[in-house]
Amino acid sequence: MKLEERITRAFKEYIEGNYSASLNYLCPAIEGTARKFFNFKKVTRSDYIKFVDYYSDIIERFSGCGINLKDTKFPVYIETDKGVLKEAKFSEIFYYAYRCALMHGNEISDKFAFSALLPDGKRGWQIGMIDKCILFPENLILSTIFALVVCQSNADINTETSFHFSWDHNIDSENPRYIFELDVYWGSEPTIRRFFEKHNIMPSITMRF
């Protein structure tokens, strides 16, 4: 499957509310884009994590999550071949909890789930200090897909779809002010970075647990 097919399929599954299926396409798409980004035939665990870290600012801004995803260490309990992780960045959770689980044919742990809304009807986070569970706002998936689309390394991709991303200062707005057509914005990273620089976005917060 071509890289652009993985990314567009991840988008399609996301908008249909199939978050696990979206991750099935998104995780290898991250790896494929990272190979182009680093100009490597194969990327390592460290490369994968560095790539997600590099685009974490776009993911943060597009999602409106308000949390510094690159520097915040979340309380977790993840068994890896290097031992047990008791704290991890978003990029590390993405690698170990999603990418590795899918690569090895395992189910994604429900300790690291995505949800459209919290029980109170609002979008946000739930972080369990005792059970080490994290409920992520689901638009972090969409924001990661967006980061892959605009990644400058993917400027060579051409598609014909009807998909578009929408964004507003108010992430829950029913009528977002800005529309980004997927087919048009492949590799548009410089434009997107300037776009976010020109908008008054609250700085993200590095959480301490």
Side-chain angles (χ1 to χ4, degrees):
M1 182 179 289
K2 292 182 178 179
L3 177 58
E4 56 265 39
E5 292 178 63
R6 293 188 186 278
I7 295 173
T8 54
R9 286 293 295 273
F11 190 102
K12 180 178 183 294
E13 295 293 348
Y14 173 85
I15 61 179
E16 292 178 355
N18 303 321
Y19 303 143
S20 293
S22 180
L23 289 167
N24 268 311
Y25 293 105
L26 178 56
C27 289
I30 292 173
E31 199 155 337
T33 303
R35 284 199 300 269
K36 294 172 70 176
F37 179 82
F38 292 112
N39 196 24
F40 293 163
K41 290 185 178 179
K42 183 178 181 180
V43 293
T44 64
R45 165 178 40 206
S46 175
D47 297 328
Y48 192 104
I49 290 170
K50 284 179 182 177
F51 177 79
V52 176
D53 277 344
Y54 181 81
Y55 283 97
S56 63
D57 61 331
I58 289 179
I59 297 171
E60 289 169 22
R61 291 177 173 186
F62 190 82
S63 69
C65 71
I67 294 180
N68 182 333
L69 298 176
K70 183 177 180 180
D71 297 321
T72 294
K73 294 275 192 174
F74 298 97
V76 298
Y77 188 92
I78 304 175
E79 295 180 356
T80 77
D81 58 349
K82 298 290 185 180
V84 174
L85 277 181
K86 295 187 176 180
E87 59 176 17
K89 300 180 293 184
F90 175 73
S91 57
E92 292 169 326
I93 294 172
F94 221 101
Y95 180 82
Y96 289 111
Y98 305 132
R99 184 268 180 196
C100 288
L102 294 169
M103 180 65 69
H104 297 298
N106 299 321
E107 291 186 6
I108 294 173
S109 171
D110 57 9
K111 285 190 173 184
F112 306 104
F114 289 91
S115 176
L117 297 173
L118 294 177
D120 61 4
K122 297 180 179 179
R123 189 192 307 270
W125 301 71
Q126 281 188 334
I127 301 173
M129 299 298 294
I130 297 177
D131 57 11
K132 309 300 183 185
C133 293
I134 303 176
L135 184 65
F136 293 103
E138 97 292 346
N139 68 349
L140 284 178
I141 298 176
L142 180 64
S143 301
T144 305
I145 296 170
F146 180 74
L148 296 189
V149 170
V150 304
C151 172
Q152 204 159 5
S153 301
N154 283 335
D156 60 331
I157 293 178
N158 293 292
T159 55
E160 294 182 6
T161 72
S162 59
F163 298 146
H164 69 269
F165 300 90
S166 56
W167 184 87
D168 198 285
H169 289 87
N170 176 7
I171 62 173
D172 293 316
S173 172
E174 295 183 359
N175 298 294
R177 294 169 58 193
Y178 301 98
I179 302 297
F180 305 97
E181 295 180 23
L182 183 149
D183 299 333
V184 174
Y185 279 86
W186 289 108
S188 61
E189 184 177 336
T191 299
I192 294 301
R193 290 193 180 279
R194 285 196 300 271
F195 172 83
F196 284 126
E197 286 171 3
K198 288 179 178 293
H199 287 77
N200 186 23
I201 300 172
M202 291 292 289
S204 59
I205 299 172
T206 302
M207 302 291 288
R208 305 294 182 194
F209 298 98

